Amino acid sequence: MTRDLTIKLHNTATRKKEDFTPIDVRDVRMYVCGPTVYDRAHLGNARPVIVFDVLYRLLRHVYGPEQVTYVRNFTDVDDKINARAAESGRSIGEITAETTQWYLDDMAAVGALEPDHMPRATQYVPQMVAMIRGLIDDGYAYEAEGHVLFRVRKYAEYGALSGRSVDDMIAGARVEVAPYKEDPMDFVLWKPSDQGTPGWESPWGQGRPGWHIECSAMAHDLLGERFDIHGGGIDLQFPHHENEIAQSKCAGHGFANYWLHNEMLQVEGKKMSKSLGNFFTVRDLLDQGVPGEVIRFVMLSTHYRKPMDWTEKKREEAEKTLRKWYLQAAEAEAATPSPELLALLADDLNTHGALTECHRLAGEGDTARLRGALSLLGLMDELIPEWAAVQALDLTDVEAFLSDARATAMETKDFAEVDRIKKALTSAGVEVQMSKDGVKLTPPPGFDRTQLEGLL
């Protein structure tokens, strides 16, 4: 633990970077909005997971693993899930169980630790009903045609998080206009369910919760009246987080002290979309052979509050850099991360700066600190990833290249190209054996393929 390290975080609620002061240093609490589980997680879904995983690791490093509680929920009741069940003929429970496990597997592949609690919305419906009943009793919500809606104008600070006025929101937002609403901005806390839709008994009839009430109820139940950090993507700032604040504050809860939002992701400079053909899931990349550590590295190379652009060039550079670092750090005993690295992460999660610090450590040959840094960043566990170790030592393509060059030289009697290749290999410490049976190359321990750049 290094509690003397001051962490600074950009608080969306105040629009400035602030010193992070936990409510209780023995129980640092963070809530992050999780996925709606109806399909695979796309690449953009991985960004908040990786961002807040780094923060979780930093908090654990500073305050101690037992003193940090991280909650990330699963929304497993939603109209998208209902639609997927209807079109596939599969049960809702089967779909949500499968997609939840997909999500956990894919996020583990990009190095994310599992949070301390991963509540499913369907487990907390009684708490949601109780919160809604209290909001009705206090005049902040009302029942209308089987729905329960929150009176937005009853909460004077509505819009403070996103910096908008209610009237501006009505003019520019896509709000659901319904005859049972008192005001266009009022949002649903509870809605009726028919026979083919999941539903629970409530004072307002058979129904299901609205999306926004889920996180408020789960955060309150698991983290208490007030907790330290609430995070998520910038796309959730309005209306989801704005609505969470309104209903929680009106229910008498202090809610979160610090709000953090990561910016969105692009692909090759364009918004990711199916129509552009640049939409892909985390699993798509993994199945194409892109290692999870490479995905994570590319994500961390951009500060979380800036838009991130996924490019093929960044992927290639990340893989090359990580392979080099892994081979350097392979035999080292992980040391405590350098003060410079900790200072960078403590400065509003400057992961780009942290990777630059890794470059410095690698360049200076400080392999113990390098390994400690990679561990804290979630880029390295006990062993070098298999993809890095195997591919780094696999020289079959180089053997074939040299064999072809040798065959050509035997015909032309010009051995200049063969000599060039042999010289490059031996300079890199590779033992070269050529016989009538073919070419065999033996790399030295800790060999790094990047030393052969430009050879083929």
Side-chain angles (χ1 to χ4, degrees), residues 43 280-291 295 299 310 312 315:
L43 188 60
F280 44 88
T281 67
V282 174
R283 179 52 51 181
D284 289 336
L285 287 178
L286 295 171
D287 288 346
Q288 290 166 18
V290 181
I295 296 172
M299 293 277 188
W310 174 275
E312 182 63 18
R315 184 202 65 75

Side-chain angles (χ1 to χ4, degrees), residues 77-234:
V77 52
D78 184 85
D79 290 343
K80 290 180 180 178
I81 301 172
N82 300 339
R84 183 57 54 89
E87 71 185 25
S88 67
R90 302 172 67 199
S91 71
I92 287 171
E94 185 181 359
I95 290 171
T96 58
E98 178 182 63
T99 51
T100 296
Q101 192 58 52
W102 284 351
Y103 183 86
L104 292 174
D105 292 344
D106 292 349
M107 295 309 108
V110 297
L113 300 173
E114 287 197 354
D116 301 286
H117 301 282
M118 295 184 287
R120 291 182 288 114
T122 53
Q123 298 173 317
Y124 287 80
V125 174
Q127 291 89 331
M128 297 175 207
V129 169
M131 184 177 285
I132 294 169
R133 185 187 288 117
L135 290 169
I136 292 175
D137 291 343
D138 292 337
Y140 291 109
Y142 59 96
E143 182 185 359
E145 299 182 22
H147 295 74
V148 179
L149 297 109
F150 182 86
R151 289 188 172 100
V152 165
R153 293 185 189 271
K154 282 278 287 183
Y155 180 59
E157 295 180 29
Y158 191 85
L161 183 71
S162 55
R164 315 179 193 185
S165 72
V166 175
D167 291 328
D168 287 344
M169 291 181 203
I170 293 174
R174 294 170 293 177
V175 295
E176 180 190 359
V177 178
Y180 49 78
K181 283 188 174 186
E182 293 179 356
D183 187 285
M185 284 302 295
D186 293 349
F187 60 87
V188 173
L189 300 173
W190 188 264
K191 51 190 172 183
S193 295
D194 56 30
Q195 282 191 335
T197 308
W200 289 262
E201 285 297 325
S202 79
W204 320 287
Q206 183 83 354
R208 59 197 191 278
W211 175 36
H212 311 300
I213 196 69
E214 296 174 10
C215 289
S216 287
M218 289 185 281
H220 178 256
D221 192 83
L222 292 167
L223 298 178
E225 295 283 337
R226 181 180 287 278
F227 55 95
D228 298 298
I229 298 168
H230 195 312
I234 193 68

Side-chain angles (χ1 to χ4, degrees), residues 239-267:
H240 185 50
H241 290 164
E242 200 76 74
N243 292 351
E244 278 188 70
I245 292 171
Q247 64 203 11
S248 293
K249 291 290 184 72
C250 291
H253 306 159
F255 218 46
N257 285 352
Y258 301 84
W259 285 84
L260 273 67
H261 293 92
N262 63 274
E263 262 291 351
M264 304 299 285
L265 175 137
Q266 297 177 321
V267 175

